[in-house]
Amino acid sequence: MRYLEWLYGMFAVYEEKSIQEAYDFATDNQIRVEGSLAGMLYYRVLLLCELNKKETALELFKEAVVKHECWYPKSALLNASIVKTFGEDDSFEGLVKMCESREATYRYNGKPTIKIFEPKKQYLNNPKLLIALHGDQQEIEAVHDYWNPEQFFNHVVAIPEASELAFTDGHTWSDVNRGIIELTKHYQDLTRKYGFTKKDITICAFSSGTNVAFEALIKGAIEVDNLIVVGPPLSKLEELKDNLKIFKEQEISTYILCGEQDTRFLPVAKSFAKQLNEIEANCKLHISKNTNHEYPEDFEVVLKDIKGFLKL
């Protein structure tokens, strides 16, 4: 089970059944999820607070902060249910101070990292490049599942990880300019090492990662042949709409994927597709049924459509 499946599954049980059943779902399925431990422990603490189980919530929060050395931003710990449950509890306040200290140390002091997966030897003579960006509060492993190098056997697959942290292991692109600088450095290193040109390169991104990819393209920091966006916020789409002409001028093909239940970003996806169509840039919009702000369950099927449309 992937983290977003766990998260939206928990939300569904919360809405359709009860808080207790949502907590049971979260607890029973936590072991099935690889990574994202800090996020799962936080939501379980939150549910315990809503259930007024102060002692259990405190023990679980202590497990997260002390045993697993997790930290959370002050904003997350000011949640109304948490504040109501703990008030000015000394033990809780001590754990909060530990989080504050770790946030000051780690939030902006990380180093950008990247994992590079080379194709098999027989494809190394003339490979293409796929750069895949994660969304907010994610890490490399969350991307690898979808843009698996085995699916792109003739590509070098590069997965950057943002240096900024929202909480423990929750990498974020909230500072878009910082993200563009990091992406540009990775891009330059990869093109220099492998000799890639624009026609060889595809960049894909999920959620807030789309802001970084989109703005890097618009500002000319990188050049690619194809862009794939999944659940795109594209925060500056309207502000930068006059610059979309580069998609036509540079013959950039764009595949836009969004869930039909992603009420926040589906309008953005539709607007982006509409604007690209108006300037006759090559693009396709795919709306996945029964899908929220996440990759669709049938992504392997959608991936075949992506590869066919973009001729990957």
Side-chain angles (χ1 to χ4, degrees):
M1 177 180 282
R2 298 181 174 101
Y3 175 65
L4 287 180
E5 292 179 69
W6 177 91
L7 185 64
Y8 289 125
M10 179 193 67
F11 286 159
V13 176
Y14 182 95
E15 292 292 332
E16 298 167 9
K17 296 182 180 179
S18 68
I19 301 173
Q20 181 63 58
E21 286 173 287
Y23 177 77
D24 292 340
F25 173 92
T27 303
D28 293 343
N29 288 286
Q30 177 178 304
I31 195 172
R32 298 176 58 201
V33 181
E34 290 187 23
S36 304
L37 178 63
M40 292 188 288
L41 291 174
Y42 172 77
Y43 280 107
R44 287 178 59 205
V45 169
L46 201 60
L47 291 171
L48 286 168
C49 288
E50 292 195 26
L51 290 166
N52 295 314
K53 295 184 177 182
K54 178 180 177 180
E55 294 304 318
T56 309
L58 184 60
E59 283 302 309
L60 187 59
F61 187 50
K62 183 177 179 180
E63 176 186 331
V65 176
V66 177
K67 180 180 178 180
H68 298 293
E69 299 184 345
C70 298
W71 62 267
Y72 304 94
K74 188 69 177 288
S75 58
L77 302 178
L78 290 175
N79 175 278
S81 296
I82 291 176
V83 172
K84 180 181 178 181
T85 299
F86 294 114
E88 297 181 0
D89 183 281
D90 290 341
S91 297
F92 177 72
E93 288 301 318
L95 296 170
V96 169
K97 287 180 180 179
M98 291 174 69
C99 287
E100 290 175 345
S101 175
R102 291 173 188 169
E103 180 178 11
T105 301
Y106 298 118
R107 178 151 198 163
Y108 298 107
N109 293 324
K111 293 183 179 180
T113 59
I114 187 169
K115 279 193 176 181
I116 299 170
F117 303 88
E118 291 187 343
K120 292 181 179 179
K121 191 173 182 179
Q122 63 265 38
Y123 298 106
L124 262 177
N125 290 332
N126 190 31
K128 294 186 176 183
L129 172 64
L130 177 77
I131 303 174
L133 302 184
H134 60 73
D136 255 356
Q137 302 176 12
Q138 291 187 326
E139 50 196 328
I140 286 173
E141 286 70 22
V143 180
H144 181 274
D145 285 351
Y146 298 103
W147 305 103
N148 191 312
E150 293 182 6
Q151 295 282 351
F152 292 88
F153 57 87
N154 60 338
H155 283 68
V156 171
V157 176
I159 308 177
E161 191 171 75
S163 63
E164 183 184 349
L165 286 166
F167 56 82
T168 304
D169 295 331
H171 297 263
T172 178
W173 303 107
S174 63
D175 185 337
V176 175
N177 288 328
R178 179 186 179 115
I180 292 173
I181 291 170
E182 294 178 9
L183 172 60
T184 303
K185 177 64 165 58
H186 294 313
Y187 176 93
Q188 292 171 344
D189 290 345
L190 289 162
T191 53
R192 188 181 303 114
K193 179 177 180 179
Y194 295 98
F196 295 121
T197 60
K198 173 189 175 298
K199 65 180 179 61
D200 303 317
I201 304 172
T202 297
I203 187 166
C204 54
F206 170 64
S207 192
S208 64
T210 66
N211 290 329
V212 175
F214 174 72
E215 292 187 39
L217 277 174
I218 290 290
K219 294 175 180 179
I222 62 174
E223 291 186 344
V224 304
D225 203 39
N226 304 303
L227 170 67
I228 304 165
V229 292
V230 183
L234 300 182
S235 306
K236 291 190 176 180
L237 177 60
E238 289 305 308
E239 181 182 329
L240 298 172
K241 63 182 179 182
D242 291 339
N243 300 83
L244 291 180
K245 59 186 179 182
I246 73 161
F247 282 83
K248 176 67 172 178
E249 293 170 352
Q250 297 184 14
E251 298 182 327
I252 300 171
S253 295
T254 305
Y255 195 101
I256 305 164
L257 173 61
C258 199
E260 91 177 326
Q261 296 173 2
D262 190 351
T263 55
R264 187 177 178 188
F265 298 128
L266 181 56
V268 179
K270 289 180 176 179
S271 176
F272 187 31
K274 181 174 181 290
Q275 291 182 50
L276 290 177
N277 282 322
E278 286 174 351
I279 61 171
E280 298 182 338
N282 189 35
C283 80
K284 181 171 184 177
L285 171 64
H286 181 102
I287 300 173
S288 291
K289 294 182 178 180
N290 304 314
T291 302
N292 206 312
H293 185 58
E294 58 190 324
Y295 283 88
E297 287 188 10
D298 65 343
F299 183 67
E300 289 186 3
V301 176
V302 179
L303 186 56
K304 290 180 181 178
D305 188 53
I306 292 173
K307 293 169 79 171
F309 178 72
L310 300 177
K311 299 179 174 61
L312 297 178

